Amino acid sequence: MALLQIAEPGMSAAPHQHRLAVGIDLGTTNSLVATVKSGSAACIADEQGRVTLPSVVRYCEEARTETGYDALKAQKIDPLNTISSAKRLIGRTLADLKQDSHYLPYRFGSNERIIEMQTRQGAKTPIDVSAEILRSLKTRAENALGGELTGAVITVPAYFDDAQRQATKDAARLTGLNVLRLLNEPTAAAIAYGLDNASEGTFVVYDLGGGTFDVSVLQLSKGLFEVKATGGNSALGGDDFDHRLFCHLLEQNKLSQLNEQDSQLLLSLARAAKEALTADNSTTIQAVLSDGRKVDSTITRQEFQNLTQHLVAKTIEPVKQALKDAGVTKAAIKGVIMVGGATRMPHVQQAVATYFGQTPLNNLNPDEVVALG
Ligand code: ADP
Ligand code: MG
């Protein structure tokens, strides 16, 4: 299962002659690329030293595209041409979305076989958007490794069906990436923790990302993983914690009826505050709105936890259900792996530890662990 950087026998050591393979976590919120260097896996950073690439693509004027942080920043001013969360749409049809599509800010085409979004560069499918993200990661990896990639392992959620898997492969093909295999995300996380050569038994992977919660029950025997059950909530993630804090700021500062720009500003400050409270006991949020009104709030970690504890509690139901579907009791679980940036929050760690009666595995970076595997 390891991703090897293989030097062909008889080849010189010139870097462009190495065979370069990478692992890609094509996430709903963020994507990453990792490779194996001198025997251990590491994520590859961009020129500014950031390993995560926001999974956002903007179709700009003059056939130009922006991907990642630039696109994320532009989303407020150019929402119709800036596509995020394409992973929620890939391999699906408008009929699959039905109730959900009106929450999304895009202009959907009428194609019934594949979802299309109208942009200033014409109709784009989730495959096109994912291909842009993959292209950006491919370029990053090729620059860092000094040669053309020969192959990639791409991770997908364990619950992805054949159409969603095929569409992910199609996206890779559009960028000229040779897909060595698709690997289930929870399996990748378990591999990153070295469980494939260390243990036998049943493990739970608890993955709280930006917009989705996924739980998987994996059974490992003789070095092979079997996904026994999956579950989760496709509308629960770190974003909901941002939103709860945002609502609290509105109440505390007696604000209502914010325009789009001010809402986006406060929401991004709420997200930053949430992340700060993972390390700090309190943080201050200050802003001046477009009409001159001021926001000035100090929030403690305890207050934030009280505001969002119900969201943490909501993740436990699907965990129970997955255990039930897998036919195992929580006492039989050998280890719990924490995945996803939102599992950094101490009260999430605490809730999982309390439920399982054991400390979860969390010493790898939760947002890197899938790519590393
Ligand atoms: P996805 O798998 O959906 O692409 P990630 O695993 O990258 O997403 O998780 C993104 C979420 O993790 C965001 O909601 C982000 O705010 C949250 N996050 C990242 N770092 C922290 C932190 N230090 N504390 C709390 N939440 C964090
Ligand atoms: Mg993820």
Side-chain angles (χ1 to χ4, degrees):
M1 210 72 81
L3 266 178
L4 297 175
Q5 190 178 319
I6 308 156
E8 292 266 275
M11 274 183 139
S12 83
H16 64 277
Q17 286 179 326
H18 279 208
R19 302 195 57 193
L20 304 172
V22 294
I24 292 178
D25 171 6
L26 186 58
T28 312
T29 318
N30 293 304
S31 297
L32 298 92
V33 56
T35 192
V36 174
K37 274 188 219 148
S38 37
S40 69
C43 289
I44 303 174
D46 66 7
E47 279 160 5
Q48 280 96 303
R50 303 172 296 207
V51 294
T52 53
L53 177 78
S55 305
V56 186
V57 174
R58 179 184 181 203
Y59 293 96
C60 312
E61 308 285 354
E62 290 155 13
R64 212 166 50 83
T65 54
E66 282 174 351
T67 308
Y69 288 96
D70 294 337
L72 183 64
K73 231 189 286 166
Q75 194 162 32
K76 295 166 223 176
I77 53 165
D78 193 17
L80 290 176
N81 299 293
T82 310
I83 318 284
S84 58
S85 299
K87 188 174 180 176
R88 288 179 181 276
L89 309 176
I90 201 164
R92 310 188 66 198
T93 63
L94 273 183
D96 294 332
L97 293 186
K98 255 199 182 104
Q99 308 104 333
D100 297 340
S101 66
H102 62 267
Y103 292 117
L104 298 165
Y106 313 121
R107 286 168 300 195
F108 289 105
S110 55
N111 191 330
E112 280 176 11
R113 282 179 306 110
I114 189 164
I115 291 173
E116 284 178 341
M117 291 157 282
Q118 301 299 332
T119 73
R120 64 163 70 84
Q121 290 186 28
K124 298 291 173 186
T125 67
I127 296 176
D128 296 325
V129 177
S130 301
E132 285 302 327
I133 297 162
L134 290 173
R135 186 168 293 127
S136 181
L137 294 172
K138 177 174 185 265
T139 307
R140 179 195 292 191
E142 289 179 342
N143 289 340
L145 302 175
E148 203 172 311
L149 295 184
T150 46
V153 173
I154 301 178
T155 57
V156 289
Y159 59 77
F160 257 26
D161 64 18
D162 287 342
Q164 290 166 304
R165 285 168 198 263
Q166 187 54 50
T168 304
K169 285 189 191 166
D170 292 345
R173 209 187 35 217
L174 280 182
T175 66
L177 257 182
N178 170 31
V179 181
L180 301 172
R181 65 179 292 187
L182 296 180
L183 183 61
N184 285 329
E185 288 165 10
T187 304
I191 291 170
Y193 274 100
L195 299 181
D196 50 333
N197 43 42
S199 353
E200 304 252 302
T202 309
F203 296 85
V204 167
V205 179
Y206 178 104
D207 182 347
L208 192 61
T212 52
F213 172 59
D214 299 320
V215 55
S216 315
V217 181
L218 299 184
Q219 168 119 40
L220 176 64
S221 64
K222 301 189 192 77
L224 284 181
F225 288 102
E226 192 188 338
V227 179
K228 299 298 267 187
T230 61
N233 183 335
S234 59
L236 179 63
D239 297 348
D240 297 288
F241 292 71
D242 306 350
H243 195 254
R244 184 66 199 93
L245 186 52
F246 166 84
C247 293
H248 174 74
L249 290 174
L250 293 186
E251 281 166 39
Q252 218 182 27
N253 292 275
K254 303 199 168 47
L255 298 169
S256 58
Q257 296 289 331
L258 292 193
N259 63 29
E260 186 59 26
Q261 193 189 336
D262 288 340
S263 297
Q264 289 292 344
L265 173 68
L266 273 198
L267 205 50
S268 64
L269 290 174
R271 178 174 180 168
K274 169 195 76 176
E275 294 180 3
L277 289 170
T278 289
D280 305 334
N281 276 318
S282 93
T283 192
T284 301
I285 299 160
Q286 286 172 323
V288 181
L289 302 181
S290 45
D291 60 3
R293 284 181 295 175
K294 290 201 172 80
V295 174
D296 190 352
S297 289
T298 295
I299 173 134
T300 64
R301 181 191 283 169
Q302 189 58 56
E303 285 172 307
F304 173 65
Q305 294 186 345
N306 294 343
L307 286 171
T308 54
Q309 195 63 46
H310 66 289
L311 296 171
V312 180
K314 249 171 120 171
T315 65
I316 300 299
E317 258 338 289
V319 170
K320 285 185 189 160
Q321 188 60 45
L323 291 176
K324 201 168 152 203
D325 294 346
V328 290
T329 61
K330 65 179 175 182
I333 299 302
K334 201 153 174 198
V336 183
I337 302 172
M338 300 298 263
V339 180
T343 64
R344 289 178 192 267
M345 289 183 283
H347 58 323
V348 174
Q349 295 278 340
Q350 188 55 50
V352 173
T354 304
Y355 178 72
F356 284 99
Q358 59 176 294
T359 311
L361 294 166
N362 59 8
N363 53 314
L364 292 177
N365 259 338
D367 28 30
E368 293 183 9
V369 61
V370 167
L372 294 176

